[in-house]
Amino acid sequence: MASIIPRTFRNVTALPKRANWSTGMKPLAQPMAHRFMATSQEQPRLRLGSTAPNFKALTTHGEIDFHKFIGNSWTILFSHPADFTPVCTTELGAFAKLKGEFEKRGVKMIGLSANDLSSHDKWVDDINEVSNTNLQFPIIADADRKVAFLYDMINEEDMDKQAIAFTIRSVFVIDPAKKIRLTMMYPASTGRNSAEVLRVIDSLQMGDKKGVVTPIDWQKGDDVIVPPSVSTEDARKKFGDVREVKPYLRFTKA
């Protein structure tokens, strides 16, 4: 007979009974799977446009309050499965080299890896050596996966396991209003494209500034699209030259 227990909760040890406080007995520690499993009440729905959940955490640059860290800047929060792993090492090196490009766009970067600070500090030395760079953005120490669960940076397959779940490769682009504007999720086996992260930030910032949208494979400097909510007449008043391919597909200069 097929199990009626949801897959996520199979093979999980029962929670310990409530402590008898009248006898002074302390409660038993929860099993590992329960300590790191977010409940529906704890797990926020992270949709585009949602406020990015705030948290406090230790980083390689000291303790932070995430919303205070964001301040009035755009921010990229990106996670990594573990320190001293090959794909993660190449990724952080690539992002470190693009520090100037992100700063031009008013973007802060902050990484996250599921290890402690002492591990992070040693790993940064490796990243700098391998990529011939100088990594200067903070990396969150998330050994207990609190931030990983808060932002749902967990592979579903790991939720059944008694061991601590791996963190996947997630990217969150957050605007100065603390709103989640874009997310990307990759499996541990697939490295990200740092140029694509820059491209989508250019697109988001262009849209906010000029009220336009961007087509497939758009790059900074390419023509943009007039959104359907703007009439061609109003578009010409606002943008000047408008090239109409279809009544609903109109291009203009960025």
Side-chain angles (χ1 to χ4, degrees):
M1 179 178 176
S3 173
I4 61 172
I5 301 174
R7 182 173 180 270
T8 302
F9 296 100
R10 294 178 202 164
N11 304 320
V12 176
T13 306
L15 285 170
K17 294 181 180 179
R18 183 184 298 274
N20 184 349
W21 293 105
S22 63
T23 63
M25 185 182 76
K26 295 182 179 180
L28 297 174
Q30 292 183 353
M32 184 70 73
H34 281 286
R35 291 209 300 271
F36 298 105
M37 184 178 291
T39 67
S40 58
Q41 289 77 25
E42 296 166 345
Q43 183 68 55
R45 291 184 178 273
L46 300 183
R47 299 188 176 104
L48 297 186
S50 297
T51 298
N54 195 25
F55 58 86
K56 292 183 179 180
L58 294 176
T59 79
T60 50
H61 290 192
E63 185 173 0
I64 65 157
D65 175 290
F66 187 50
H67 281 188
K68 289 181 181 178
F69 172 83
I70 294 171
N72 294 317
S73 300
W74 287 77
T75 299
I76 298 171
L77 168 64
F78 54 110
S79 61
H80 302 82
D83 295 358
F84 301 104
T85 52
V87 178
C88 300
T89 300
T90 63
E91 286 188 322
L92 266 76
F95 278 102
K97 286 185 173 182
L98 289 172
K99 176 177 179 287
E101 291 298 321
F102 284 106
E103 287 181 343
K104 286 179 188 177
R105 294 158 172 81
V107 179
K108 294 179 180 178
M109 291 186 285
I110 183 166
L112 176 148
S113 187
N115 297 87
D116 59 24
L117 283 181
S118 62
S119 174
H120 284 358
D121 289 336
K122 295 173 184 175
W123 185 36
V124 168
D125 290 339
D126 272 13
I127 293 166
N128 289 336
E129 178 187 349
V130 169
S131 297
N132 190 26
T133 188
N134 181 20
L135 193 155
Q136 296 182 26
F137 54 82
I139 303 175
I140 296 166
D142 195 38
D144 59 7
R145 313 305 196 266
K146 286 183 179 178
V147 180
F149 272 103
L150 184 64
Y151 277 78
D152 204 15
M153 301 169 171
I154 300 295
N155 191 323
E156 175 67 20
E157 292 179 356
D158 288 335
M159 294 293 288
D160 276 350
K161 299 176 182 177
Q162 295 286 338
I164 301 177
F166 271 115
T167 304
I168 60 172
R169 303 184 194 283
S170 297
V171 179
F172 289 85
V173 178
I174 301 165
D175 70 16
K178 318 297 188 294
K179 300 296 183 182
I180 296 172
R181 298 294 299 276
L182 184 141
T183 64
M184 304 177 188
M185 292 190 180
Y186 298 73
S189 60
T190 303
R192 285 162 281 208
N193 186 325
S194 55
E196 173 63 5
V197 177
L198 278 174
R199 190 191 76 85
V200 296
I201 288 171
D202 286 339
S203 173
L204 291 168
Q205 292 182 343
M206 173 69 71
D208 286 1
K209 182 178 180 181
K210 296 195 173 181
V212 294
V213 295
T214 55
I216 181 72
D217 296 331
W218 178 86
Q219 297 289 336
K220 194 171 185 178
D222 291 350
D223 287 356
V224 293
I225 292 175
V226 177
S229 58
V230 179
S231 69
T232 300
E233 181 182 356
D234 288 343
R236 289 197 168 108
K237 291 177 183 177
K238 182 176 182 179
F239 303 116
D241 182 48
V242 173
R243 176 168 56 90
E244 184 175 295
V245 178
K246 293 286 185 181
Y248 57 83
L249 178 57
R250 298 150 304 158
F251 289 89
T252 188
K253 298 294 182 184

